[in-house]
Amino acid sequence: MEELQTISTLQGVEIALRKELEHIAEGYIKDGYLLKKTRDAEFYKEKGYADVFEFAKETFNISRTWAIRFMQINDTYSIDGNSPEIQEKYRGYGSSKLSEMLALPEEVREVVPRDATVREIREVKEVIRETETRYSPGVRQSAMAPEDTTARGRDL
C-alpha cells in the first residue's frame, strides 16, 4: 500500500495500474475456476441451492451473467481451460480486455496485442460482426427477391 502512495509520475501510475489490472484478470480466472468446481461437484447442494447461479447470487451477489462470464474466462484463458492459473500468453491483458476478447474467434484473440485498448478490441468485434452479417449465406439468401428463382433452384 505504501508503495502506491509514493508514486509521483504518470508513468508510475500506469505501471501500477497495469499490475493491479493483471491481478484482477487472474482473479477472474480463479473465480471462474471456483464457480466451475462448485457447479461440477455440485457443492451448491450442501446448502440447498438449486444451482451454482443461485449460490453465487445469494452468497456473493454475483449475477448469473457475471458467473457465466467468469466461467467463460476460465474456459478460454486458463491453463488447459480448467485451472486456477492464466495461460502465459494472456498475462498482462487485464480483465476488461479479456472479457471483451471472449467474443472474438480464437485465431483473432491470439493476435490481439497486449497494448490494444478495449476500444480497439470492440472495433475489431464490430468489423467481424459486420462481415459476418454481410457475407452470411442466410442473410444473402433472404435478401434475394422472391421472383429470383434462378439462383435458388440451382445447386451452387
Side-chain angles (χ1 to χ4, degrees):
M1 192 64 131
E2 189 175 308
E3 170 186 317
L4 296 179
Q5 293 173 338
T6 62
I7 294 172
S8 60
T9 66
L10 182 59
Q11 182 180 12
V13 168
E14 288 175 356
I15 291 168
L17 271 171
R18 274 196 187 91
K19 185 178 176 182
E20 292 304 315
L21 290 171
E22 187 170 328
H23 288 302
I24 293 171
E26 290 175 10
Y28 279 22
I29 298 288
K30 290 174 184 174
D31 292 344
Y33 175 77
L34 292 168
L35 288 168
K36 287 168 49 177
K37 189 172 187 86
T38 300
R39 176 197 64 201
D40 297 346
E42 298 182 338
F43 291 150
Y44 55 84
K45 289 182 176 180
E46 291 177 17
K47 290 199 174 179
Y49 295 109
D51 56 32
V52 69
F53 304 113
E54 183 181 349
F55 159 75
K57 181 67 177 168
E58 294 298 320
T59 307
F60 301 104
N61 202 28
I62 296 173
S63 70
R64 179 183 186 89
T65 300
W66 271 102
I68 290 169
R69 181 165 293 152
F70 287 142
M71 291 188 280
Q72 288 174 329
I73 286 172
N74 183 273
D75 289 340
T76 305
Y77 305 116
S78 72
I79 295 172
D80 296 326
N82 193 25
S83 87
E85 295 181 50
I86 191 168
Q87 294 176 47
E88 186 62 38
K89 66 183 173 184
Y90 293 115
R91 288 189 186 279
Y93 278 88
S95 56
S96 296
K97 291 178 190 178
L98 293 179
S99 188
E100 283 297 326
M101 289 168 34
L102 278 174
L104 294 174
E106 183 177 354
E107 61 273 9
V108 175
R109 234 186 352 256
E110 290 185 355
V111 296
V112 172
R114 279 186 178 83
D115 63 350
T117 65
V118 170
R119 173 186 256 172
E120 290 168 336
I121 295 168
R122 286 181 181 153
E123 288 171 0
V124 168
K125 285 171 38 179
E126 184 58 32
V127 167
I128 291 170
R129 194 174 305 124
E130 287 175 8
T131 302
E132 287 174 345
T133 300
R134 180 171 291 159
Y135 297 105
S136 170
V139 171
R140 281 189 287 147
Q141 183 140 4
S142 65
M144 278 193 294
E147 305 82 43
D148 186 2
T149 57
T150 56
R152 264 189 268 142
R154 282 187 286 171
D155 290 331
L156 301 176

